[in-house]
DNA sequence: AAATCGGGGCG
DNA sequence: CGCCCAGATTT
C-alpha cells in the first residue's frame, strides 16, 4: 500500500489539542446540568441560555425550563407567554421567542428530531454560526468550531491579537484559528474545555495565567499584555431616559399589565402602563384617567430607580394609583390583564416590573 | 460606572 | 453587507 511517511512529531494544532484535553480531564466541568443525560435538545437550550448569560445564572433557569418542557415537542406545544414566563429575568427575550419558534419548526418539519448539519442548524431562528458549531460538537460529536466570547478571549491572548476582535477581518482570523485548532477526536470535550478555560482561567480582568495550560505558549502572557486583551471597543456614553410607570391597584390584589409589542425592548412581555416622566399628582391623574375609566382613590409616588440597557439608562418613577374597590366582574381589554398578585399568571415580566410587583406583595 | 455577550433585522 | 439593537450581571 502506498502511504506517506508517518509523521513522528505532532503539529502545533495537535499539541494544542492535547494540552486542552488533558486540562479538561483534570479540571474541566463535567457536572453541569446540561452535561447529564446529554441530548441535542438539552444542549441547544443550554447554549441559547448561555449566549448572553453566565453559567451560574443560567443553571436554575435551565432546571426549571427542562422540568416544565422535558422534550422539544412539549416546548413546541407551549404558549409564548409561558415560555417568556420561564425566561423572566434572563433578558434578551428574543432568545426565548426564537427558542419557541425553532421548537415548533423542528416538531413540525423534522418530526421532533434535531438536524445535525451546520447549514440546517444555522437556518433555525436564534442559531448562528457559533451556536450551530457548539450543538454539532457537544451533542453530535461532529467536528465543528465555535467562537463565543470565551474562545475569542483565549485566542486573542494566545496569539496576542491587538486589533479589536469586532473588526470583520479580525473576526475572520479568529474563526480560521478556531477551525484549525478544533480536533476531530473528542470534539465535545475539547469544546467544553475551551469554554471552561475562558470562563475560569482566561477571564477578563486578571487572567490566572499561572494555572493556565497555555502558559508557556501564550503570546500575550509572554509579552505581559494578557490583561489588556482583547482590545475594547471605544466606549460610547449612553443617554438616560426617564419614564413613569403606572401601578393601578384594584381591590388590593390586582395590578393592570399591558402586553408589549413583540419587537423592541421587553418584546412580548407584560409590563406596567407607561407615561411621560412626571412626579406631579395632577398630571398623573390626567394620564391615569386617559388609560382607565375606574374611579381613582389615591395616588402616591414610589421611589425612583434606574435600570440600564445596552444603549441607555432608564430612570423609572413608579406611581401607585389605588382604584376604588370594585365588586363586579373585572373586565380586561385586549392586550391587557389584571395581574393577580396572590396567584400570578404564567407570563413574562421585565425584571424591574417583577421587582416592583414583588414589592407590592410585602 | 463600565464591560460583557451571539444573533436578528434593517436599509 | 455594515450597522444598530437588546438586559441583567459582574467587576
Amino acid at each position: 500500500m502506498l502511504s506517506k511517511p508517518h509523521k513522528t512529531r505532532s503539529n502545533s494544532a495537535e499539541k494544542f489539542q492535547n494540552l486542552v484535553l488533558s486540562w479538561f480531564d483534570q479540571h474541566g466541568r463535567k457536572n453541569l446540568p446540561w452535561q447529564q443525560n446529554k441530548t441535542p435538545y438539552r444542549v441547544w437550550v443550554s447554549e441559547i441560555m448561555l449566549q448572553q448569560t453566565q453559567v451560574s445564572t443560567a443553571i436554575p433557569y435551565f432546571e426549571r425550563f427542562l422540568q416544565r418542557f422535558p422534550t422539544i415537542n412539549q416546548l413546541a406545544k407551549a404558549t409564548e407567554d409561558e415560555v417568556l414566563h420561564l425566561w423572566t429575568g434572563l433578558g434578551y427575550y428574543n432568545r426565548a421567542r426564537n427558542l419557541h419558534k425553532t421548537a415548533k419548526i423542528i416538531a413540525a418539519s423534522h418530526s421532533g428530531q434535531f438536524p445535525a448539519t451546520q447549514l440546517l442548524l444555522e437556518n433555525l431562528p436564534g442559531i448562528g454560526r457559533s451556536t450551530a458549531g457548539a450543538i454539532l460538537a457537544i451533542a453530535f460529536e461532529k467536528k465543528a468550531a465555535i467562537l463565543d466570547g470565551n474562545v475569542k478571549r483565549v485566542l486573542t491572548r494566545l496569539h496576542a491579537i491587538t486589533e479589536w476582535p469586532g473588526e470583520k477581518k479580525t473576526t475572520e482570523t479568529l474563526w480560521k484559528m478556531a477551525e484549525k485548532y478544533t480536533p476531530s477526536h473528542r470534539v465535545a470535550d475539547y469544546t467544553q474545555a475551551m469554554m471552561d478555560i475562558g470562563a475560569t482561567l482566561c477571564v477578563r480582568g486578571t487572567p490566572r495565567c499561572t494555572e493556565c495550560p497555555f502558559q508557556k505558549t501564550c503570546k500575550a502572557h509572554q509579552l505581559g499584555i494578557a490583561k489588556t486583551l482583547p482590545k475594547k471597543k471605544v466606549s460610547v456614553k449612553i443617554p438616560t431616559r426617564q419614564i413613569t410607570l403606572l401601578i393601578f391597584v384594584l381591590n388590593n390584589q390586582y395590578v393592570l399589565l399591558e402586553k408589549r409589542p413583540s419587537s423592541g425592548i421587553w418584546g412580548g412581555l407584560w409590563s406596567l402602563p407607561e407615561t411621560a416622566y412626571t412626579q406631579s399628582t395632577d398630571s398623573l391623574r390626567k394620564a391615569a384617567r386617559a388609560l382607565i375609566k375606574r374611579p381613582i382613590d389615591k395616588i402616591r409616588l414610589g421611589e425612583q430607580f434606574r435600570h440600564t440597557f445596552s444603549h441607555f439608562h432608564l430612570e423609572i418613577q413608579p406611581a401607585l394609583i389605588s382604584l376604588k374597590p370594585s365588586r363586579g366582574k373585572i373586565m380586561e381589554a385586549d392586550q391587557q390583564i389584571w395581574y393577580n398578585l396572590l396567584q400570578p399568571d404564567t407570563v413574562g415580566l421585565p425584571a424591574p416590573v417583577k421587582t416592583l410587583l414583588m414589592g407590592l406583595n410585602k
Side-chain angles (χ1 to χ4, degrees):
Chain A
M1 183 175 77
L2 290 170
S3 65
K4 289 178 187 161
H6 202 75
K7 275 190 193 166
T8 51
R9 198 175 58 84
S10 58
N11 63 35
S12 71
E14 281 170 42
K15 280 185 185 163
F16 181 82
Q17 292 156 8
N18 288 336
L19 281 178
V20 173
L21 288 168
S22 56
W23 181 87
F24 179 79
D25 290 335
Q26 294 176 54
H27 308 287
R29 294 183 280 198
K30 295 152 196 121
N31 297 311
L32 298 170
W34 43 89
Q35 294 176 313
Q36 321 307 315
N37 178 24
K38 218 191 262 180
T39 65
Y41 172 63
R42 292 168 63 87
V43 169
W44 165 60
V45 173
S46 73
E47 285 302 324
I48 301 299
M49 286 187 174
L50 292 170
Q51 276 173 3
Q52 267 88 0
T53 308
Q54 297 208 337
V55 166
S56 57
T57 309
I59 288 175
Y61 284 87
F62 180 86
E63 305 272 29
R64 263 176 278 147
F65 201 91
L66 266 291
Q67 180 88 26
R68 173 61 188 83
F69 306 121
T71 69
I72 196 164
N73 288 325
Q74 284 162 291
L75 175 56
K77 282 189 238 153
T79 64
E80 189 177 277
D81 275 333
E82 193 175 6
V83 178
L84 288 169
H85 174 68
L86 288 165
W87 212 266
T88 289
L90 261 188
Y92 289 92
Y93 299 93
N94 213 15
R95 292 184 294 170
R97 289 197 305 276
N98 283 333
L99 201 75
H100 192 215
K101 280 185 202 159
T102 287
K104 288 184 162 180
I105 293 170
I106 294 179
S109 315
H110 298 75
S111 30
Q113 295 301 301
F114 238 87
T117 71
Q118 189 82 29
L119 189 64
L120 287 172
L121 286 169
E122 281 185 38
N123 275 328
L124 295 166
I127 301 180
R129 186 172 174 182
S130 188
T131 303
I135 295 170
L136 288 174
I138 296 172
F140 293 103
E141 278 285 359
K142 284 196 174 181
K143 180 173 174 174
I146 67 160
L147 188 64
D148 70 346
N150 291 311
V151 176
K152 253 182 218 170
R153 200 164 47 247
V154 171
L155 293 179
T156 52
R157 284 174 175 163
L158 198 67
H159 292 269
I161 293 170
T162 51
E163 294 83 24
W164 177 54
E167 289 296 329
K168 184 177 150 59
K169 222 183 137 203
T170 314
T171 304
E172 260 324 295
T173 307
L174 289 167
W175 268 112
K176 285 271 158 29
M177 290 174 179
E179 283 167 348
K180 190 184 75 181
Y181 287 133
T182 302
S184 41
H185 173 62
R186 289 190 66 188
V187 67
D189 288 347
Y190 168 87
T191 303
Q192 184 64 50
M194 287 296 283
M195 296 191 290
D196 289 352
I197 291 168
T200 64
L201 297 180
C202 200
V203 294
R204 83 177 161 102
T206 309
R208 306 167 196 274
C209 299
T210 55
E211 301 163 53
C212 181
F214 314 135
Q215 200 189 345
K216 292 214 177 77
T217 46
C218 179
K219 286 272 192 336
H221 179 60
Q222 287 163 9
L223 295 167
I225 57 171
K227 207 180 162 159
T228 72
L229 299 180
K231 191 183 171 193
K232 285 170 274 184
K233 191 187 177 186
V234 279
S235 67
V236 267
K237 269 185 112 176
I238 60 177
T240 299
R241 293 185 206 163
Q242 292 182 306
I243 56 163
T244 293
L245 289 181
L246 304 174
I247 311 175
F248 290 101
V249 183
L250 182 62
N251 292 354
N252 216 13
Q253 183 180 359
Y254 297 98
V255 173
L256 185 66
L257 298 183
E258 295 178 339
K259 195 176 175 76
R260 296 188 55 93
S262 62
S263 64
I265 284 172
W266 296 333
L269 303 192
W270 291 84
S271 187
L272 292 162
E274 178 182 327
T275 190
Y277 179 81
T278 179
Q279 290 185 317
S280 126
T281 316
D282 275 357
S283 42
L284 279 171
R285 193 174 298 275
K286 264 187 207 157
R289 274 204 290 251
L291 280 161
I292 200 166
K293 298 204 172 56
R294 294 174 181 280
I296 295 163
D297 185 6
K298 57 176 184 238
I299 295 180
R300 62 188 179 88
L301 291 174
E303 197 180 337
Q304 187 169 318
F305 65 99
R306 189 148 104 152
H307 185 80
T308 300
F309 294 92
S310 55
H311 56 307
F312 66 92
H313 300 294
L314 188 63
E315 296 271 352
I316 298 171
Q317 171 62 67
L320 258 108
I321 307 187
S322 314
L323 300 168
K324 298 237 168 87
S326 158
R327 308 186 115 253
K329 192 172 189 302
I330 302 168
M331 300 300 286
E332 289 174 340
D334 188 34
Q335 310 295 78
Q336 257 187 11
I337 51 172
W338 282 99
Y339 184 86
N340 187 340
L341 292 166
L342 305 177
Q343 283 173 289
D345 299 80
T346 49
V347 295
L349 304 175
V353 171
K354 189 176 184 187
T355 308
L356 282 170
L357 294 181
M358 307 253 289
L360 293 177
N361 253 343
K362 286 179 200 133

